[in-house]
Amino acid sequence: MQSTYGVSPHLQHFSCMIDLFGRAGLLKRAEEIIIKTPYELTPDRWATLLGACKVHQNTDIGEWAAEKLQEMRPDNPGYYVLVANMYADAGRWDKLAKMRTFMRDVGVLLIARAEYVPVCSAFFAPVEVAALRVLESKGTLRESISVFKAYDLS
């Protein structure tokens, strides 16, 4: 890209390539891009690779992505659920049990099968409620509550 077009690749370029290779099932190529990138990857990028590994049933690269994602300890509970689902789909019950224990220890709480949940006179989707609980356990709920979108059911 640099030699042909004179454009230096940025994080977004690397992220796009990871996503494209992942969707195409070329997970080894996506892994190579990640290793060569000069940028610090965000939890979103690791989750993108992890999701592709789940879809294409590649637990080797998926476990690597899961480890990197867990090291970052993101506030989004969906990432932890994605890791747990990958282990469940692969039949790795020992790893699934460890992941669920990790989720419990970190404070990720999920509410199953609920449409909307009332919190402080507003309605939030269940995943948002789980994220609120993680933030509350870290003492950052007040600063972060504006990030969440309340649903008006009237």
Coordinates of all heavy atoms in Angstrom, one line a residue, residues 9-93:
P9 N -0.6 2.7 6.0 CA -1.8 2.1 6.6 C -1.9 2.5 8.1 O -1.0 2.5 8.8 CB -1.5 0.6 6.5 CG 0.0 0.5 6.3 CD 0.4 1.7 5.7
H10 N -3.2 2.8 8.4 CA -3.5 3.1 9.8 C -4.2 2.0 10.5 O -4.5 0.9 9.8 CB -4.4 4.4 9.8 CG -3.7 5.6 9.3 ND1 -2.7 6.3 10.0 CD2 -3.8 6.2 8.1 CE1 -2.3 7.3 9.3 NE2 -2.9 7.3 8.1
L11 N -4.6 2.1 11.7 CA -5.2 1.1 12.5 C -6.5 0.6 11.8 O -6.8 -0.6 11.7 CB -5.6 1.6 13.9 CG -6.4 0.6 14.8 CD1 -5.6 -0.7 15.0 CD2 -6.7 1.2 16.1
Q12 N -7.3 1.5 11.2 CA -8.5 1.2 10.5 C -8.2 0.2 9.3 O -9.0 -0.6 9.0 CB -9.3 2.4 10.0 CG -9.8 3.3 11.1 CD -8.7 4.3 11.7 OE1 -7.6 4.3 11.3 NE2 -9.2 5.1 12.7
H13 N -7.1 0.4 8.6 CA -6.8 -0.4 7.5 C -6.5 -1.8 8.0 O -7.0 -2.8 7.4 CB -5.6 0.1 6.7 CG -5.8 1.4 6.1 ND1 -5.3 2.6 6.6 CD2 -6.5 1.8 5.0 CE1 -5.7 3.6 5.8 NE2 -6.4 3.2 4.9
F14 N -5.7 -1.9 9.0 CA -5.4 -3.3 9.6 C -6.7 -3.9 10.1 O -6.9 -5.1 9.9 CB -4.4 -3.1 10.7 CG -3.0 -2.8 10.2 CD1 -2.5 -1.6 10.3 CD2 -2.2 -3.8 9.7 CE1 -1.2 -1.3 9.9 CE2 -0.9 -3.6 9.3 CZ -0.4 -2.3 9.3
S15 N -7.5 -3.1 10.8 CA -8.8 -3.7 11.3 C -9.7 -4.2 10.2 O -10.3 -5.3 10.3 CB -9.6 -2.6 12.1 OG -8.8 -2.2 13.2
C16 N -9.7 -3.5 9.1 CA -10.5 -3.9 7.9 C -10.0 -5.2 7.4 O -10.8 -6.1 7.0 CB -10.5 -2.8 6.9 SG -11.5 -3.2 5.4
M17 N -8.7 -5.4 7.3 CA -8.1 -6.6 6.7 C -8.4 -7.8 7.7 O -8.6 -8.9 7.2 CB -6.6 -6.4 6.5 CG -6.3 -5.4 5.4 SD -7.1 -5.7 3.8 CE -6.4 -7.3 3.4
I18 N -8.3 -7.5 9.0 CA -8.6 -8.6 9.9 C -10.0 -9.1 9.7 O -10.3 -10.3 9.7 CB -8.3 -8.1 11.4 CG1 -6.8 -7.9 11.6 CG2 -8.9 -9.1 12.4 CD1 -6.5 -7.0 12.8
D19 N -10.9 -8.1 9.6 CA -12.3 -8.5 9.4 C -12.6 -9.2 8.1 O -13.2 -10.2 8.1 CB -13.2 -7.2 9.5 CG -14.7 -7.5 9.4 OD1 -15.1 -8.5 10.0 OD2 -15.4 -6.7 8.9
L20 N -12.0 -8.7 7.0 CA -12.2 -9.4 5.7 C -11.6 -10.8 5.7 O -12.3 -11.7 5.2 CB -11.5 -8.5 4.6 CG -12.2 -7.2 4.3 CD1 -11.4 -6.4 3.3 CD2 -13.6 -7.5 3.7
F21 N -10.4 -11.0 6.2 CA -9.8 -12.3 6.2 C -10.6 -13.2 7.1 O -10.8 -14.4 6.8 CB -8.3 -12.3 6.6 CG -7.4 -11.8 5.6 CD1 -6.4 -10.9 5.9 CD2 -7.5 -12.2 4.3 CE1 -5.5 -10.4 4.9 CE2 -6.6 -11.8 3.3 CZ -5.7 -10.9 3.6
G22 N -11.1 -12.7 8.3 CA -11.9 -13.5 9.2 C -13.2 -13.9 8.6 O -13.5 -15.1 8.7
R23 N -13.9 -13.0 7.9 CA -15.1 -13.4 7.3 C -14.9 -14.4 6.2 O -15.8 -15.3 5.9 CB -15.8 -12.2 6.7 CG -16.4 -11.3 7.7 CD -16.9 -10.0 7.1 NE -17.3 -9.0 8.0 CZ -18.5 -8.6 8.3 NH1 -19.5 -9.2 7.6 NH2 -18.8 -7.7 9.2
A24 N -13.8 -14.4 5.5 CA -13.5 -15.3 4.4 C -13.0 -16.6 4.9 O -12.8 -17.6 4.1 CB -12.5 -14.7 3.4
G25 N -12.8 -16.7 6.2 CA -12.2 -18.0 6.8 C -10.7 -18.1 6.7 O -10.2 -19.2 7.0
L26 N -10.1 -17.1 6.3 CA -8.6 -17.1 6.2 C -8.0 -16.6 7.5 O -7.4 -15.5 7.6 CB -8.2 -16.2 5.0 CG -8.7 -16.6 3.6 CD1 -8.4 -15.5 2.6 CD2 -8.2 -17.9 3.2
L27 N -8.2 -17.4 8.5 CA -7.9 -16.9 9.9 C -6.4 -16.9 10.1 O -5.9 -16.0 10.9 CB -8.5 -17.9 10.9 CG -10.1 -17.9 10.8 CD1 -10.6 -19.0 11.6 CD2 -10.6 -16.6 11.1
K28 N -5.6 -17.7 9.4 CA -4.2 -17.6 9.5 C -3.6 -16.3 9.0 O -2.7 -15.7 9.5 CB -3.5 -18.8 8.8 CG -2.1 -19.1 9.1 CD -2.0 -19.5 10.6 CE -0.6 -19.8 10.9 NZ -0.3 -19.8 12.3
R29 N -4.2 -15.9 7.9 CA -3.9 -14.6 7.3 C -4.2 -13.4 8.2 O -3.5 -12.5 8.4 CB -4.5 -14.3 5.9 CG -4.2 -15.3 4.8 CD -2.8 -15.0 4.2 NE -2.6 -13.7 3.7 CZ -2.9 -13.3 2.4 NH1 -3.5 -14.1 1.6 NH2 -2.7 -12.1 2.0
A30 N -5.4 -13.5 8.9 CA -5.8 -12.5 9.8 C -4.8 -12.5 11.0 O -4.5 -11.4 11.5 CB -7.2 -12.8 10.3
E31 N -4.4 -13.6 11.4 CA -3.4 -13.7 12.5 C -2.1 -13.1 12.1 O -1.5 -12.3 12.9 CB -3.2 -15.2 12.9 CG -2.2 -15.4 14.0 CD -1.9 -16.9 14.3 OE1 -1.9 -17.7 13.3 OE2 -1.7 -17.2 15.5
E32 N -1.7 -13.3 10.9 CA -0.5 -12.7 10.4 C -0.6 -11.2 10.4 O 0.4 -10.5 10.8 CB -0.1 -13.2 9.0 CG 0.3 -14.6 8.9 CD 0.3 -15.2 7.5 OE1 0.1 -14.4 6.6 OE2 0.5 -16.4 7.4
I33 N -1.7 -10.6 10.0 CA -1.9 -9.2 10.0 C -1.8 -8.6 11.4 O -1.2 -7.6 11.7 CB -3.3 -8.8 9.4 CG1 -3.4 -9.2 7.9 CG2 -3.7 -7.4 9.6 CD1 -2.6 -8.3 7.0
I34 N -2.4 -9.3 12.4 CA -2.4 -8.9 13.8 C -1.0 -8.9 14.3 O -0.5 -8.0 15.0 CB -3.3 -9.8 14.6 CG1 -4.8 -9.5 14.3 CG2 -3.0 -9.6 16.1 CD1 -5.7 -10.5 15.0
I35 N -0.2 -9.9 14.0 CA 1.2 -10.0 14.4 C 2.0 -8.9 13.9 O 2.9 -8.3 14.5 CB 1.8 -11.4 14.1 CG1 1.1 -12.5 15.0 CG2 3.3 -11.4 14.3 CD1 1.4 -13.9 14.6
K36 N 1.8 -8.5 12.6 CA 2.6 -7.5 11.9 C 2.1 -6.1 12.2 O 2.9 -5.2 11.9 CB 2.6 -7.8 10.4 CG 3.3 -9.0 10.0 CD 3.2 -9.3 8.5 CE 4.0 -10.5 8.2 NZ 3.9 -10.8 6.7
T37 N 0.9 -5.9 12.7 CA 0.5 -4.5 12.9 C 1.3 -3.8 13.9 O 1.6 -4.3 15.0 CB -1.0 -4.5 13.3 OG1 -1.4 -3.1 13.3 CG2 -1.3 -5.1 14.6
P38 N 1.7 -2.5 13.6 CA 2.4 -1.7 14.6 C 1.6 -1.1 15.6 O 2.1 -0.4 16.5 CB 3.1 -0.7 13.7 CG 2.1 -0.5 12.6 CD 1.5 -1.8 12.3
Y39 N 0.2 -1.3 15.6 CA -0.7 -0.6 16.5 C -1.2 -1.6 17.6 O -1.2 -2.8 17.4 CB -1.9 -0.1 15.7 CG -1.6 0.9 14.6 CD1 -1.5 0.5 13.3 CD2 -1.3 2.2 15.0 CE1 -1.2 1.5 12.3 CE2 -1.0 3.1 14.0 CZ -0.9 2.8 12.7 OH -0.6 3.7 11.7
E40 N -1.6 -1.0 18.7 CA -2.2 -1.7 19.8 C -3.6 -2.0 19.4 O -4.4 -1.1 19.1 CB -2.1 -0.9 21.1 CG -2.7 -1.6 22.3 CD -1.8 -2.7 22.8 OE1 -0.6 -2.6 22.6 OE2 -2.3 -3.6 23.5
L41 N -4.0 -3.3 19.3 CA -5.4 -3.6 18.9 C -6.4 -3.4 20.1 O -6.0 -3.6 21.2 CB -5.5 -5.0 18.4 CG -4.7 -5.3 17.1 CD1 -4.9 -6.8 16.8 CD2 -5.2 -4.4 16.0
T42 N -7.5 -2.9 19.7 CA -8.6 -2.7 20.7 C -9.4 -4.0 20.9 O -9.2 -5.0 20.1 CB -9.6 -1.7 20.1 OG1 -10.2 -2.2 18.9 CG2 -8.9 -0.3 19.8
P43 N -10.2 -4.1 22.0 CA -11.0 -5.3 22.2 C -11.9 -5.6 21.0 O -12.2 -6.7 20.7 CB -11.8 -4.9 23.4 CG -10.9 -3.9 24.2 CD -10.3 -3.1 23.1
D44 N -12.3 -4.6 20.3 CA -13.2 -4.8 19.1 C -12.5 -5.7 18.1 O -13.1 -6.6 17.5 CB -13.6 -3.5 18.5 CG -14.3 -2.5 19.3 OD1 -14.6 -2.9 20.5 OD2 -14.7 -1.4 18.9
R45 N -11.2 -5.4 17.8 CA -10.5 -6.2 16.8 C -10.3 -7.6 17.3 O -10.5 -8.6 16.5 CB -9.2 -5.6 16.5 CG -9.2 -4.2 15.9 CD -10.1 -4.2 14.6 NE -11.4 -3.7 14.9 CZ -12.5 -4.1 14.3 NH1 -12.5 -4.9 13.3 NH2 -13.7 -3.6 14.6
W46 N -10.0 -7.8 18.6 CA -9.9 -9.2 19.1 C -11.2 -9.9 19.0 O -11.3 -11.1 18.7 CB -9.3 -9.2 20.5 CG -7.8 -8.8 20.5 CD1 -7.3 -7.6 21.0 CD2 -6.7 -9.5 20.0 NE1 -6.0 -7.6 20.8 CE2 -5.6 -8.7 20.2 CE3 -6.6 -10.7 19.4 CZ2 -4.3 -9.2 19.8 CZ3 -5.3 -11.2 19.0 CH2 -4.2 -10.4 19.2
A47 N -12.3 -9.2 19.3 CA -13.6 -9.8 19.3 C -14.0 -10.2 17.8 O -14.6 -11.2 17.6 CB -14.6 -8.9 19.9
T48 N -13.6 -9.3 16.9 CA -13.8 -9.6 15.5 C -13.2 -10.9 15.1 O -13.8 -11.8 14.4 CB -13.3 -8.5 14.6 OG1 -14.0 -7.3 14.9 CG2 -13.5 -8.8 13.1
L49 N -11.9 -11.1 15.4 CA -11.2 -12.3 15.1 C -11.8 -13.5 15.9 O -12.0 -14.6 15.3 CB -9.7 -12.2 15.5 CG -8.8 -13.4 15.2 CD1 -8.8 -13.8 13.8 CD2 -7.4 -13.2 15.8
L50 N -12.1 -13.3 17.1 CA -12.8 -14.4 17.9 C -14.1 -14.8 17.3 O -14.4 -16.0 17.2 CB -13.0 -13.9 19.3 CG -13.5 -14.9 20.3 CD1 -12.5 -16.1 20.4 CD2 -13.7 -14.2 21.7
G51 N -14.9 -13.9 16.8 CA -16.2 -14.2 16.2 C -16.0 -15.0 14.9 O -16.7 -16.0 14.7
A52 N -15.0 -14.7 14.2 CA -14.6 -15.4 12.9 C -14.2 -16.8 13.3 O -14.5 -17.8 12.6 CB -13.6 -14.7 12.1
C53 N -13.4 -16.9 14.3 CA -12.9 -18.2 14.8 C -14.1 -19.1 15.2 O -14.1 -20.3 15.0 CB -11.9 -18.1 15.9 SG -10.3 -17.4 15.4
K54 N -15.0 -18.5 15.9 CA -16.2 -19.3 16.3 C -17.0 -19.8 15.1 O -17.4 -20.9 15.0 CB -17.1 -18.4 17.2 CG -18.4 -19.1 17.7 CD -19.2 -18.1 18.5 CE -20.5 -18.7 18.9 NZ -21.4 -19.1 17.9
V55 N -17.2 -18.9 14.1 CA -18.0 -19.2 12.9 C -17.3 -20.3 12.1 O -17.9 -21.3 11.6 CB -18.2 -18.0 12.0 CG1 -18.7 -18.4 10.6 CG2 -19.2 -17.0 12.7
H56 N -15.9 -20.2 12.0 CA -15.2 -21.2 11.2 C -14.6 -22.3 12.0 O -13.8 -23.1 11.5 CB -14.1 -20.4 10.4 CG -14.7 -19.4 9.4 ND1 -15.3 -19.8 8.3 CD2 -14.7 -18.1 9.4 CE1 -15.7 -18.8 7.6 NE2 -15.4 -17.7 8.3
Q57 N -14.9 -22.4 13.3 CA -14.6 -23.4 14.2 C -13.0 -23.7 14.3 O -12.6 -24.8 14.2 CB -15.3 -24.7 13.8 CG -16.8 -24.6 13.9 CD -17.5 -25.8 13.4 OE1 -16.9 -26.7 12.8 NE2 -18.8 -25.9 13.8
N58 N -12.3 -22.6 14.4 CA -10.9 -22.6 14.6 C -10.6 -22.2 16.1 O -10.4 -21.1 16.4 CB -10.2 -21.7 13.6 CG -8.7 -21.8 13.7 OD1 -8.1 -22.0 14.8 ND2 -8.0 -21.7 12.6
T59 N -10.5 -23.2 16.9 CA -10.3 -22.9 18.4 C -8.9 -22.6 18.7 O -8.6 -21.9 19.7 CB -10.8 -24.1 19.2 OG1 -10.1 -25.3 18.8 CG2 -12.3 -24.3 19.2
D60 N -7.9 -23.0 17.9 CA -6.5 -22.6 18.1 C -6.3 -21.1 18.1 O -5.8 -20.5 19.1 CB -5.6 -23.3 17.1 CG -5.6 -24.8 17.2 OD1 -5.9 -25.3 18.3 OD2 -5.4 -25.5 16.2
I61 N -6.7 -20.5 17.0 CA -6.5 -19.0 16.9 C -7.6 -18.4 17.8 O -7.3 -17.3 18.4 CB -6.7 -18.6 15.4 CG1 -5.5 -19.1 14.6 CG2 -6.7 -17.0 15.4 CD1 -5.6 -18.8 13.1
G62 N -8.7 -19.0 18.0 CA -9.8 -18.4 18.8 C -9.3 -18.3 20.3 O -9.6 -17.3 21.0
E63 N -8.6 -19.3 20.8 CA -8.1 -19.3 22.1 C -7.0 -18.2 22.3 O -7.0 -17.5 23.3 CB -7.5 -20.6 22.5 CG -8.6 -21.7 22.8 CD -8.1 -23.0 23.4 OE1 -6.8 -23.2 23.3 OE2 -8.9 -23.8 23.8
W64 N -6.2 -18.0 21.3 CA -5.2 -17.0 21.3 C -5.9 -15.6 21.4 O -5.6 -14.8 22.3 CB -4.3 -17.0 20.1 CG -3.3 -15.9 19.9 CD1 -2.3 -15.6 20.8 CD2 -3.3 -15.0 18.9 NE1 -1.6 -14.6 20.3 CE2 -2.2 -14.2 19.1 CE3 -4.0 -14.8 17.7 CZ2 -1.8 -13.1 18.3 CZ3 -3.7 -13.8 16.9 CH2 -2.6 -12.9 17.2
A65 N -6.9 -15.4 20.6 CA -7.7 -14.1 20.6 C -8.4 -14.0 21.9 O -8.5 -12.9 22.5 CB -8.7 -14.1 19.4
A66 N -9.0 -15.1 22.5 CA -9.7 -15.0 23.8 C -8.7 -14.6 24.9 O -9.1 -13.8 25.8 CB -10.3 -16.4 24.1
E67 N -7.5 -15.1 24.9 CA -6.5 -14.8 25.9 C -6.2 -13.3 25.8 O -6.1 -12.6 26.9 CB -5.3 -15.6 25.7 CG -5.4 -17.1 26.1 CD -4.2 -17.9 25.8 OE1 -3.1 -17.3 25.4 OE2 -4.3 -19.1 25.8
K68 N -6.0 -12.8 24.6 CA -5.7 -11.4 24.5 C -6.8 -10.5 24.9 O -6.6 -9.5 25.6 CB -5.3 -11.1 23.0 CG -4.1 -11.7 22.5 CD -2.9 -11.2 23.2 CE -1.6 -11.8 22.6 NZ -0.4 -11.3 23.3
L69 N -8.0 -10.9 24.6 CA -9.2 -10.2 25.0 C -9.4 -10.2 26.5 O -9.7 -9.1 27.1 CB -10.5 -10.8 24.3 CG -11.7 -10.0 24.3 CD1 -11.5 -8.6 23.7 CD2 -12.8 -10.7 23.5
Q70 N -9.2 -11.3 27.1 CA -9.3 -11.4 28.6 C -8.3 -10.5 29.3 O -8.5 -10.0 30.3 CB -9.2 -12.8 29.0 CG -10.5 -13.6 28.7 CD -10.3 -15.1 29.1 OE1 -9.2 -15.6 29.2 NE2 -11.4 -15.8 29.1
E71 N -7.1 -10.4 28.7 CA -6.0 -9.6 29.3 C -6.4 -8.2 29.4 O -6.0 -7.4 30.3 CB -4.7 -9.7 28.5 CG -4.0 -11.0 28.7 CD -2.8 -11.2 27.7 OE1 -2.5 -10.2 27.0 OE2 -2.3 -12.3 27.6
M72 N -7.2 -7.7 28.4 CA -7.7 -6.3 28.3 C -8.8 -6.0 29.3 O -9.1 -4.9 29.6 CB -8.1 -6.0 26.9 CG -7.0 -6.1 25.9 SD -7.6 -5.8 24.3 CE -6.3 -4.7 23.7
R73 N -9.5 -7.0 29.7 CA -10.7 -6.9 30.6 C -11.6 -5.8 30.2 O -11.9 -4.8 30.9 CB -10.2 -6.7 32.0 CG -9.5 -7.9 32.6 CD -9.4 -7.9 34.1 NE -8.7 -9.0 34.5 CZ -9.0 -9.7 35.6 NH1 -10.0 -9.3 36.4 NH2 -8.4 -10.8 36.0
P74 N -12.2 -5.9 29.0 CA -13.1 -4.9 28.5 C -14.4 -4.9 29.3 O -14.8 -5.9 30.0 CB -13.4 -5.3 27.1 CG -13.2 -6.8 27.1 CD -12.1 -7.0 28.1
D75 N -15.1 -3.7 29.3 CA -16.4 -3.6 30.1 C -17.6 -4.2 29.3 O -18.6 -4.3 29.9 CB -16.6 -2.1 30.3 CG -15.7 -1.5 31.4 OD1 -15.2 -2.3 32.2 OD2 -15.5 -0.3 31.3
N76 N -17.4 -4.5 28.1 CA -18.5 -5.1 27.3 C -18.7 -6.6 27.6 O -17.9 -7.4 27.3 CB -18.2 -4.9 25.8 CG -19.4 -5.4 24.9 OD1 -20.2 -6.1 25.3 ND2 -19.4 -4.9 23.7
P77 N -19.8 -6.9 28.3 CA -20.0 -8.3 28.6 C -20.2 -9.2 27.4 O -20.0 -10.4 27.5 CB -21.3 -8.3 29.5 CG -22.0 -7.1 29.1 CD -20.9 -6.1 28.7
G78 N -20.6 -8.7 26.3 CA -20.7 -9.5 25.1 C -19.5 -10.2 24.7 O -19.5 -11.3 24.1
Y79 N -18.3 -9.6 24.9 CA -17.0 -10.2 24.6 C -16.8 -11.5 25.4 O -16.4 -12.5 24.9 CB -15.9 -9.2 24.9 CG -15.9 -8.0 24.0 CD1 -15.3 -6.8 24.5 CD2 -16.4 -7.9 22.8 CE1 -15.3 -5.6 23.8 CE2 -16.4 -6.8 22.0 CZ -15.8 -5.6 22.5 OH -15.8 -4.5 21.8
Y80 N -17.2 -11.4 26.7 CA -17.0 -12.6 27.5 C -18.0 -13.7 27.1 O -17.6 -14.9 27.1 CB -17.3 -12.2 29.0 CG -16.3 -11.2 29.5 CD1 -16.7 -9.9 29.8 CD2 -14.9 -11.5 29.6 CE1 -15.9 -8.9 30.3 CE2 -14.1 -10.5 30.1 CZ -14.5 -9.2 30.4 OH -13.6 -8.3 30.9
V81 N -19.2 -13.3 26.7 CA -20.2 -14.3 26.2 C -19.7 -14.9 24.9 O -19.8 -16.1 24.7 CB -21.5 -13.6 26.0 CG1 -22.5 -14.5 25.4 CG2 -22.1 -13.1 27.4
L82 N -19.1 -14.1 24.1 CA -18.5 -14.6 22.8 C -17.5 -15.7 23.1 O -17.5 -16.8 22.4 CB -17.9 -13.5 22.0 CG -17.4 -13.8 20.6 CD1 -18.5 -14.4 19.7 CD2 -16.8 -12.6 19.9
V83 N -16.6 -15.5 24.0 CA -15.5 -16.4 24.4 C -16.2 -17.7 24.9 O -15.9 -18.8 24.5 CB -14.6 -15.9 25.4 CG1 -13.6 -16.9 25.9 CG2 -13.8 -14.7 24.8
A84 N -17.2 -17.5 25.8 CA -17.8 -18.7 26.4 C -18.6 -19.5 25.3 O -18.5 -20.7 25.3 CB -18.8 -18.2 27.5
N85 N -19.2 -18.8 24.4 CA -19.9 -19.5 23.3 C -19.0 -20.3 22.4 O -19.3 -21.3 21.9 CB -20.8 -18.5 22.5 CG -22.0 -18.1 23.3 OD1 -22.4 -18.7 24.3 ND2 -22.6 -17.0 22.9
M86 N -17.8 -19.7 22.1 CA -16.8 -20.4 21.3 C -16.4 -21.7 22.0 O -16.4 -22.8 21.3 CB -15.6 -19.6 21.1 CG -14.6 -20.3 20.2 SD -13.0 -19.5 20.2 CE -12.4 -19.9 21.8
Y87 N -16.2 -21.7 23.3 CA -15.8 -22.9 24.0 C -17.0 -23.9 24.0 O -16.7 -25.1 23.8 CB -15.4 -22.6 25.4 CG -14.0 -21.9 25.5 CD1 -13.8 -20.8 26.4 CD2 -13.0 -22.3 24.7 CE1 -12.6 -20.2 26.5 CE2 -11.7 -21.7 24.8 CZ -11.5 -20.7 25.7 OH -10.3 -20.1 25.8
A88 N -18.2 -23.4 24.2 CA -19.3 -24.3 24.2 C -19.5 -25.0 22.8 O -19.7 -26.2 22.8 CB -20.6 -23.5 24.6
D89 N -19.4 -24.2 21.8 CA -19.6 -24.8 20.4 C -18.5 -25.8 20.1 O -18.7 -26.7 19.4 CB -19.5 -23.6 19.3 CG -20.8 -22.8 19.3 OD1 -21.7 -23.2 20.0 OD2 -20.8 -21.8 18.7
A90 N -17.3 -25.6 20.7 CA -16.2 -26.5 20.4 C -16.2 -27.7 21.4 O -15.4 -28.6 21.2 CB -14.9 -25.8 20.5
G91 N -17.1 -27.7 22.3 CA -17.2 -28.8 23.3 C -16.1 -28.8 24.3 O -15.8 -29.8 24.9
R92 N -15.5 -27.6 24.5 CA -14.4 -27.5 25.5 C -15.0 -27.1 26.8 O -14.9 -25.9 27.3 CB -13.4 -26.4 25.0 CG -12.8 -26.6 23.6 CD -11.8 -27.8 23.6 NE -10.8 -27.6 24.6 CZ -9.6 -27.0 24.4 NH1 -9.4 -26.5 23.2 NH2 -8.7 -26.9 25.3
W93 N -15.6 -28.0 27.5 CA -16.4 -27.8 28.7 C -15.5 -27.3 29.9 O -15.9 -26.5 30.7 CB -17.2 -29.0 29.1 CG -18.0 -29.5 27.9 CD1 -17.9 -30.7 27.3 CD2 -19.0 -28.8 27.2 NE1 -18.8 -30.8 26.3 CE2 -19.5 -29.7 26.2 CE3 -19.6 -27.5 27.3 CZ2 -20.5 -29.3 25.3 CZ3 -20.6 -27.2 26.4 CH2 -21.0 -28.0 25.4

